[in-house]
């Protein structure tokens, strides 16, 4: 026979596990590049209240440079004839061409990212030849890839829709 306390613990364990898992997202910071709001602690310094933000981090660009360096000069005799040729060594080093950069940009707040706005976004990207998927109102991987293709030439290589892009596409009112 199983003791009553052990039976109670066995019944409560799954419920406690589910409660702990449900509380876990509140403890986890948003991923890098994830959408954040001004109310959160991940907005840029000085951001206006009631605005939403995302951060894009571009990696450093590193270049490998290989060069031949004179290790020992050529030796010549008095007539200029080479007795021993020059000796070179290969020197390889890496240099940072462009350092890692973090760029904050304003985004439409989640409440305004309705299925209708996303359908309008998908139609706008389809009209520009950047989106070929169904117009279903969900911000899926294909929609994010199309947003990235639109924004990259504008200097933002991110699949998160910026407020500036939403304005350029006519999805939200231009502040004025």
């Amino acid at each position: 026979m199983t003791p009553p306390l052990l039976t109670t613990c066995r019944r409560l364990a799954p419920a406690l596990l589910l409660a702990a898992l449900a509380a876990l997202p509140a403890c986890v910071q948003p991923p890098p590049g994830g959408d954040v709001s001004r109310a959160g602690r991940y907005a840029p310094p000085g951001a206006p209240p009631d605005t939403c933000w995302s951060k894009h981090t571009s990696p450093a660009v590193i270049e490998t440079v290989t060069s031949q360096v004179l290790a020992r000069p050529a030796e010549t005799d008095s007539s200029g004839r080479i007795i021993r040729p020059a000796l070179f060594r290969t020197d390889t080093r890496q240099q940072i061409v462009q350092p890692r950069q973090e760029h904050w940009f304003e985004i439409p707040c989640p409440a305004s990212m309705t299925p209708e706005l996303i359908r309008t976004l998908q139609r706008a990207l389809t009209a520009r030849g950047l989106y070929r998927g169904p117009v279903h109102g969900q911000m899926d991987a294909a929609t994010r890839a199309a947003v990235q293709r639109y924004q990259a030439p504008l200097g933002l290589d991110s699949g998160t829709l910026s407020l500036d892009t939403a304005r350029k596409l006519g999805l939200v009112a231009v502040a004025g």
Side-chain angles (χ1 to χ4, degrees):
M1 176 165 175
T2 308
L5 182 58
L6 186 57
T7 303
T8 303
C9 287
R10 284 184 181 160
R11 272 190 251 135
L12 286 178
L16 290 173
L17 180 61
L18 286 175
L21 288 174
L24 187 60
C27 301
V28 178
Q29 295 181 358
D35 300 342
V36 293
S37 72
R38 179 63 183 114
R41 52 188 175 188
Y42 301 104
D50 300 323
T51 58
C52 298
W53 298 84
S54 185
K55 181 169 49 171
H56 176 71
T57 303
S58 59
V61 177
I62 299 173
E63 179 179 83
T64 301
V65 179
T66 303
S67 56
Q68 297 294 316
V69 179
L70 182 64
R72 185 186 70 213
E75 291 182 27
T76 58
D77 62 12
S78 59
S79 66
R81 191 171 49 103
I82 297 176
I83 301 171
R84 193 169 12 171
L87 181 64
F88 293 89
R89 75 179 190 320
T90 302
D91 186 26
T92 303
R93 61 183 167 80
Q94 292 187 334
Q95 67 184 37
I96 297 175
V97 176
Q98 180 179 340
R100 173 180 176 229
Q101 296 177 340
E102 291 183 345
H103 173 72
W104 285 97
F105 58 98
E106 194 171 357
I107 60 172
C109 288
S112 66
M113 291 297 288
T114 63
E116 184 53 41
L117 183 119
I118 296 171
R119 280 192 288 274
T120 305
L121 169 66
Q122 290 167 334
R123 285 190 289 270
L125 294 169
T126 298
R128 289 162 176 79
L130 299 170
Y131 179 72
R132 293 177 191 82
V135 176
H136 48 58
Q138 297 173 12
M139 199 65 167
D140 60 359
T143 305
R144 288 187 184 280
V147 167
Q148 186 169 6
R149 283 191 292 275
Y150 181 84
Q151 293 182 143
L154 303 174
L156 180 59
D157 192 17
S158 173
T160 301
L161 179 68
S162 74
L163 192 58
D164 187 46
T165 296
R167 287 178 177 141
K168 285 181 179 160
L169 292 172
L171 304 176
V172 296
V174 176

